[in-house]
Amino acid sequence: QVQLVESGGGFVQAGGSLRLSCVASGRTFSGYPMAWFRQAHGEEREFVATISRGGAYTNHADSVKGRFIISRDNAKSTVDLQMNSLKPEDTAVYYCAADINSPAGTIPSIRRTAYEYWGQGTLVTVSS
């Protein structure tokens, strides 16, 4: 019902910036929360950031707070992740996800199991 296509991953030096983008199709984009997760080599997939249907509420993991910013443009059906002051420990595959079953009036979940649809993942490599 929802298809997600990511772009923007690549190589960057520590201290640099990247902007990831995810384009959604299928259900009305404004009808569900979105999130970004990441998975480093040999590690579990972890929460990065989430954003509510209208974009008024956002939540960022402590590890990226103050450096990463999630945003969405419902007119364009996109959710972005602006990544600044990148560190080598940010190296991971980044995934866009949609929670189409999130109850109205609740904050978006930070648990990966709450998200039903996922993008293919885009690799971000930060060199020191």
Side-chain angles (χ1 to χ4, degrees):
Q1 296 188 53
V2 176
Q3 297 80 46
L4 305 173
V5 180
E6 302 166 329
S7 63
F11 294 85
V12 65
Q13 292 183 324
S17 298
L18 282 175
R19 188 177 184 90
L20 306 183
S21 184
C22 174
V23 180
S25 61
R27 295 180 57 166
T28 302
F29 183 68
S30 61
Y32 47 85
M34 296 289 295
W36 288 94
F37 288 76
R38 67 186 183 186
Q39 186 168 17
H41 181 72
E43 302 293 330
E44 297 292 326
R45 191 171 300 185
E46 67 175 4
F47 166 75
V48 176
T50 190
I51 188 167
S52 62
R53 294 168 173 82
Y57 173 89
T58 62
N59 187 22
H60 299 79
D62 289 342
S63 59
V64 307
K65 194 170 297 182
R67 300 187 298 119
F68 292 9
I69 302 173
I70 189 172
S71 62
R72 70 191 297 162
D73 186 338
N74 288 343
K76 298 179 179 179
S77 297
T78 58
V79 59
D80 290 357
L81 185 69
Q82 178 65 48
M83 304 185 295
N84 300 318
S85 302
L86 283 161
K87 306 174 181 179
E89 50 262 47
D90 294 320
T91 296
V93 176
Y94 284 72
Y95 298 89
C96 177
D99 180 8
I100 65 171
N101 293 320
S102 178
T106 64
I107 61 172
S109 177
I110 66 171
R111 299 180 67 250
R112 62 179 177 83
T113 55
Y115 292 84
E116 297 85 16
Y117 295 94
W118 296 81
Q120 78 285 354
T122 184
L123 177 63
V124 172
T125 302
V126 184
S127 62
S128 61

